[in-house]
Amino acid sequence: MVVVIEGKKVASTVIGRVKEATSKLAGLRNIKPGLAVVIVGDDPASHSYVGAKSRMAKECGFASVQYTLPSDTTQDDLLGLVEALNVDPTVHGILVQLPLPEPLQSDSIIQSIRPEKDVDGLNVVNAGKLAVGDVTTGLVSCTPAGAMVLIRQAHGEDLSGLHAVVVGRSNLFGKPMAQLLLNSNATVTIAHSRTKDLAAICRTADILVVAVGRPQMVKGHWLKTGATVIDVGINRIAVSGPSEAKTRLVGDVAFDECKDIASVITPVPGGVGPMTIAMLMANTVIAAHRAAGVDAPRF
Ligand code: GUN
């Protein structure tokens, strides 16, 4: 019988631990974790994600500030805001929502965030720390960190002897995901759009993690029987109905056929998605502990 992971439940356990750590830190040092969320332009999906992040930060007891900037914001204006947040001692985490509208250059903005406040884990210093296995001073990108919490629930801390296949090679997800799996002793393959015979490679996976942005691409016959399948895709597709056109969210995995072959699978929505925000809160409370010189919790 397949186990369908309830991401919302796991995320609310993480949030509970974040709240506990937040009130302990207040007791020890009278400090509230401070999260600055920056959004440029008016993309509705980005506004909805950022609104959810700001609301959750407030619920966790953080001092949360959202900066909503117009789409004609210049590179220098944005760099100036990041610099002001970098030197503000009440701000422990800075998140600049991506993608940024043209012609803003996101890489130079992301790299200008101080590594110790880079709660997205996208700065090269944090990417490098993850690459050398330093999880005690670095910050890990939230979605792979959240996917890893779900994988640890299914398999424990040690993935020795297991073959993990990550489909997707982005800096935001695929690369850090592969590093996390490798740090837990899995044998890791990274596959991507140029990989030959992707289905055959996926069939060798004990743990298959998919983040490609192609609705329902992974079919049931792509899986090894009993695999753990982590679906990171969030795609909105049209569904035809008797009345007006409707849409629904699906992952990169064809859930209905894959659930009969996998032993563990994440649904979309309700799988990895809720974990991303929870891990952002976890990174912020970790950054606040480190700034205060207090031992940080592990998630
Ligand atoms: N846009 C979509 N996902 C993310 C994320 O995890 N962090 C940032 N900064 N922007 C995003």
Side-chain angles (χ1 to χ4, degrees):
M1 189 60 188
V2 68
V3 173
V4 179
I5 294 183
E6 294 182 67
K8 265 194 181 169
K9 270 197 188 160
V10 185
S12 74
T13 308
V14 172
I15 292 295
R17 293 184 49 221
V18 168
K19 288 177 179 171
E20 234 171 73
T22 301
S23 41
K24 267 198 197 146
L25 187 62
L28 281 172
R29 293 281 198 278
N30 197 22
I31 285 171
K32 257 190 188 188
L35 175 64
V37 180
V38 180
I39 180 163
V40 185
D42 38 35
D43 176 64
S46 290
H47 272 271
S48 135
Y49 290 137
V50 160
K53 289 171 184 176
S54 295
R55 280 193 300 278
M56 184 58 86
K58 290 220 162 75
E59 192 190 319
C60 287
F62 296 178
S64 157
V65 188
Q66 184 175 319
Y67 294 85
T68 306
L69 306 181
S71 32
D72 61 356
T73 298
T74 65
Q75 189 82 9
D76 282 350
D77 287 343
L78 192 50
L79 283 169
L81 173 59
V82 170
E83 196 40 37
L85 297 169
N86 274 339
V87 297
D88 183 339
T90 66
V91 172
H92 305 105
I94 303 170
L95 180 140
V96 177
Q97 184 68 17
L98 301 175
L100 289 169
E102 302 259 333
L104 291 172
Q105 300 285 314
S106 38
D107 197 53
S108 74
I109 302 290
I110 296 300
Q111 299 311 329
S112 75
I113 299 172
R114 279 195 186 165
E116 62 271 26
K117 298 193 178 190
D118 168 38
V119 282
D120 252 336
L122 296 178
N123 189 291
V124 289
V125 171
N126 285 318
K129 284 183 173 176
L130 177 62
V132 297
D134 173 3
V135 287
T136 52
T137 71
L139 291 163
V140 180
S141 181
C142 306
T143 307
M148 200 62 206
V149 170
L150 302 181
I151 291 168
R152 281 203 301 264
Q153 283 221 330
H155 292 277
E157 297 280 335
D158 185 5
L159 306 179
S160 295
L162 297 174
H163 184 206
V165 174
V166 180
V167 188
R169 55 173 163 173
S170 66
N171 291 336
L172 193 60
F173 185 80
K175 286 177 195 163
M177 185 75 244
Q179 301 286 359
L180 286 168
L181 289 159
L182 191 59
N183 289 344
S184 292
N185 304 320
T187 303
V188 182
T189 299
I190 305 177
H192 48 80
S193 54
R194 307 286 180 96
T195 297
K196 206 169 143 189
D197 204 353
L198 185 56
I201 289 177
C202 289
R203 263 194 301 275
T204 65
D206 302 298
I207 300 169
L208 178 64
V209 187
V210 192
V212 289
R214 294 186 57 185
Q216 299 170 316
M217 179 187 78
V218 173
K219 309 296 181 201
H221 68 274
W222 290 32
L223 302 184
K224 184 195 266 195
T225 303
T228 291
V229 180
I230 307 291
D231 188 353
V232 185
I234 302 177
N235 311 286
R236 189 165 286 285
I237 60 163
V239 284
S240 47
S243 56
E244 80 273 29
K246 287 204 168 126
T247 63
R248 74 181 174 103
L249 291 179
V250 296
D252 293 345
V253 170
F255 182 85
D256 286 341
E257 51 186 274
C258 288
K259 75 174 185 335
D260 297 330
I261 309 202
S263 64
V264 177
I265 191 166
T266 60
V268 176
V272 176
M275 295 302 293
T276 299
I277 293 186
M279 298 317 285
L280 173 65
M281 302 303 129
N283 276 349
T284 307
V285 85
I286 288 170
H289 277 71
R290 288 178 185 164
V294 177
D295 272 351
R298 301 278 304 265
F299 291 89

